[in-house]
Amino acid sequence: MGSYLVNATFQSKITEEADIIVGLIYTVFGICSLCGNSVLLYVSYKKKNLLKPAEYFMINLAISDRGMTLTLYPLAVTSSLSHRWLYGKQVCLFYAFCGILFGICSLSTLTLLSTVCCLKICFPAYGNRFRREHGRILIACGWAYAAIFACSPLAHWGEYGPEPYGTACCIDWHSSSVNTVAMSYTVALFVFCFIIPCGVIVTSYTLILITVKESRKAVEQHVSGPTRMSNVQAITVKVFENLCS
């Protein structure tokens, strides 16, 4: 009876044709992600002595995305094409752990990058103090932050389990509706790994756009004609140079 329940849990809940389509889409995305991120890492390695502080975040984003591609896509593709999860409960935990770890790390990296860009453009007195060692420390903090939330279900604050459609694994959403501890983890995950990071990203880039717009207006008020246009373009170029300096 127990074996039957496990098999039923890991059986796909969607049609076989839909699973094949999903598997093919995963394959295309996986190949594109692997090739793109590998090229970025190779180029970064070749010019490692010329890297600017903010570029470390792009490298870390490529590392986390590549990690997700290598650990998740092969399992997801083969399971989708087989119309069921093939690898049992322990690998299901590993799959879910990697998904949360690399996913939160990628979002944390984007959040840190947006914050650093905002400091450099909107608050240059602080942003210009940013150095390589600061970037490395922030990246380490991003991995630690992701590891805390990824390890928590393994310590039974929250639970990992199969996705409702049956061919992948993630947070056990059903347990969140019946277990207070699991629900508290889901709420914390939603707030600290989605709402706050997205809020910081939106706020940072909004401030950048406002700063660029105000700088452009200031130039247009003091100069005119071709000189105005060239100065506006110079400001725009300078802004984007600062983003990666």
Side-chain angles (χ1 to χ4, degrees):
M1 181 68 175
S3 176
Y4 171 77
L5 291 175
V6 170
N7 290 335
T9 300
F10 290 113
Q11 189 68 37
S12 178
K13 306 301 189 300
I14 61 179
T15 65
E16 189 169 356
E17 291 76 13
D19 266 331
I20 292 174
I21 293 173
V22 170
L24 294 175
I25 293 173
Y26 279 163
T27 300
V28 173
F29 284 175
I31 292 173
C32 292
S33 174
L34 184 61
C35 293
N37 288 309
S38 296
V39 169
L40 189 151
L41 292 174
Y42 175 75
V43 172
S44 300
Y45 173 76
K46 297 297 288 186
K47 56 169 286 189
K48 57 182 179 293
N49 295 326
L50 302 175
L51 292 175
K52 297 176 181 179
E55 290 176 327
Y56 281 95
F57 294 106
M58 302 305 297
I59 294 171
N60 190 60
L61 185 63
I63 291 173
S64 62
D65 287 349
R66 194 168 186 266
M68 181 177 291
T69 300
L70 292 174
T71 55
L72 269 60
Y73 278 76
L75 304 177
V77 169
T78 52
S79 293
S80 292
L81 296 179
S82 300
H83 197 50
R84 61 181 297 273
W85 176 255
L86 296 174
Y87 302 100
K89 185 175 180 179
Q90 295 305 314
V91 180
C92 177
L93 295 177
F94 169 78
Y95 182 101
F97 171 84
C98 290
I100 295 297
L101 176 68
F102 293 123
I104 294 178
C105 183
S106 294
L107 183 57
S108 298
T109 301
L110 290 172
T111 305
L112 292 170
L113 178 61
S114 70
T115 304
V116 170
C117 290
C118 182
L119 286 175
K120 283 183 169 293
I121 300 302
C122 305
F123 310 98
Y126 299 100
N128 291 335
R129 300 177 185 176
F130 191 79
R131 298 292 181 267
R132 289 185 179 184
E133 53 270 23
H134 299 144
R136 291 166 181 162
I137 292 171
L138 289 175
I139 287 170
C141 290
W143 280 102
Y145 189 79
I148 289 172
F149 283 95
C151 291
S152 293
L154 301 179
H156 303 294
W157 182 38
E159 297 290 339
Y160 287 139
E163 289 277 21
Y165 54 85
T167 56
C169 300
C170 193
I171 304 299
D172 187 346
W173 306 112
H174 175 71
S175 67
S176 300
S177 62
V178 297
N179 186 306
T180 304
V181 175
M183 181 182 293
S184 68
Y185 172 77
T186 302
V187 172
L189 190 71
F190 181 69
V191 173
F192 293 102
C193 299
F194 181 72
I195 295 296
I196 292 178
C198 289
V200 171
I201 291 171
V202 171
T203 301
S204 297
Y205 287 116
T206 300
L207 289 174
I208 290 173
L209 290 174
I210 291 173
T211 301
V212 172
K213 186 175 181 179
E214 289 178 349
S215 299
R216 179 171 180 167
K217 283 183 178 179
V219 171
E220 291 176 342
Q221 288 175 353
H222 292 87
V223 295
S224 60
T227 304
R228 172 194 296 179
M229 201 61 196
S230 62
N231 277 275
V232 170
Q233 291 171 346
I235 288 175
T236 305
V237 170
K238 187 64 177 175
V239 165
F240 284 102
E241 285 179 349
N242 286 339
L243 289 178
C244 293
S245 63

